[in-house]
Amino acid sequence: MRQKQLIQTKNGDSGKIRKEVPANPTNFGSEEYALLHFEWTQDLKSKTYRDALDIRKEVFVEEQQVPVSIEIDDLEDKTLHLVGYEEFIPVATARIYPMENGKYKVQRVAIRKAVREKKYGSILMQEIERHVRELGGKRLFLGAQNHAIGFYEKVGYKICGEEYEEAGILHHDMDKILERDESRLGDEH
């Protein structure tokens, strides 16, 4: 039986917005659908933030051997943290750092290994774009690990810098200009 995917979002630890999108945004006829619930927070004492750290430690510290001192940095209290939950289990995370002139830096994008085949990365990036547009953002910027460049290109990012090494991993800077969401124009009047 075909299920619809509900993406529920929480801004901070209160307020809800519900959205329906297919689990595989590039193939709307796909039978693969999943339930994801998103929560945003800036509260470093919240369960959402602790869940984000658990995923980041699993992916970056344990899998990729990034030192904890680099992974958890002095921007933690200056960023918005996002966690995606599958049936109440935290499976995906990212954070966004507000910069100047409507630019936001996407950081710490991580999906738990057990669910990577479900294509949650694309859905996570859609949620980031939705939220940044809501905040008035016009451009997203990130430092992509080289092995993830193809993924970011598929969701609309372009390389905008030379290769560099960070935490022993090769990266390229990438960015994406956010277009106006024409489907929401009717909601503004």
Side-chain angles (χ1 to χ4, degrees):
M1 181 177 185
R2 187 178 198 161
Q3 285 183 312
K4 286 186 180 176
Q5 174 193 3
L6 281 179
I7 292 185
Q8 299 177 343
T9 61
K10 275 189 173 181
N11 296 321
D13 289 325
S14 64
K16 293 182 181 178
I17 299 170
R18 295 179 65 152
K19 289 183 110 180
E20 287 188 19
V21 296
N24 183 350
T26 59
N27 185 359
F28 292 102
S30 171
E31 291 295 324
E32 294 179 16
Y33 288 84
L35 183 65
L36 273 188
H37 168 86
F38 284 113
E39 293 185 15
W40 287 92
T41 192
Q42 285 185 283
D43 180 2
L44 301 187
K45 294 179 182 174
S46 70
K47 180 184 181 315
T48 302
Y49 176 70
R50 287 190 309 274
D51 289 342
L53 283 184
D54 287 346
I55 297 168
R56 288 168 48 190
K57 286 177 182 174
E58 181 181 315
V59 172
F60 298 118
V61 177
E62 294 171 20
E63 287 181 33
Q64 297 183 358
Q65 303 300 304
V66 173
V68 173
S69 61
I70 293 174
E71 178 54 34
I72 301 171
D73 62 16
D74 61 348
L75 295 179
E76 298 298 324
D77 64 345
K78 297 170 184 67
T79 54
L80 294 164
H81 302 269
L82 170 64
V83 176
Y85 294 87
E86 179 186 66
E87 297 183 21
F88 305 104
I89 299 168
V91 296
T93 192
R95 72 180 192 186
I96 57 172
Y97 176 64
M99 300 174 83
E100 73 286 339
N101 300 322
K103 181 176 166 182
Y104 286 79
K105 186 167 186 182
V106 179
Q107 301 175 310
R108 310 306 197 261
V109 176
I111 309 294
R112 284 206 154 120
K113 192 178 226 176
V115 297
R116 287 186 191 146
E117 77 283 352
K118 295 185 177 184
K119 311 291 186 208
Y120 287 162
S122 297
I123 297 168
L124 184 76
M125 297 307 289
Q126 286 179 353
E127 172 59 11
I128 290 168
E129 288 182 28
R130 183 205 63 78
H131 194 70
V132 167
R133 277 190 185 98
E134 191 175 272
L135 296 171
K138 304 200 180 339
R139 181 175 170 212
L140 291 169
F141 172 79
L142 56 83
Q145 293 181 5
N146 281 1
H147 74 86
I149 288 172
F151 163 75
Y152 289 115
E153 287 175 333
K154 285 180 185 173
V155 294
Y157 285 78
K158 295 185 174 144
I159 292 175
C160 63
E162 297 296 318
E163 183 176 71
Y164 61 93
E165 181 264 323
E166 183 178 343
I169 301 168
L170 295 176
H171 289 70
H172 276 83
D173 286 339
M174 300 183 81
D175 70 350
K176 180 176 183 175
I177 305 301
L178 296 179
E179 302 296 325
R180 274 179 70 177
D181 185 354
E182 301 296 330
S183 68
R184 298 184 65 173
L185 291 179
D187 296 341
E188 295 173 4
H189 297 137

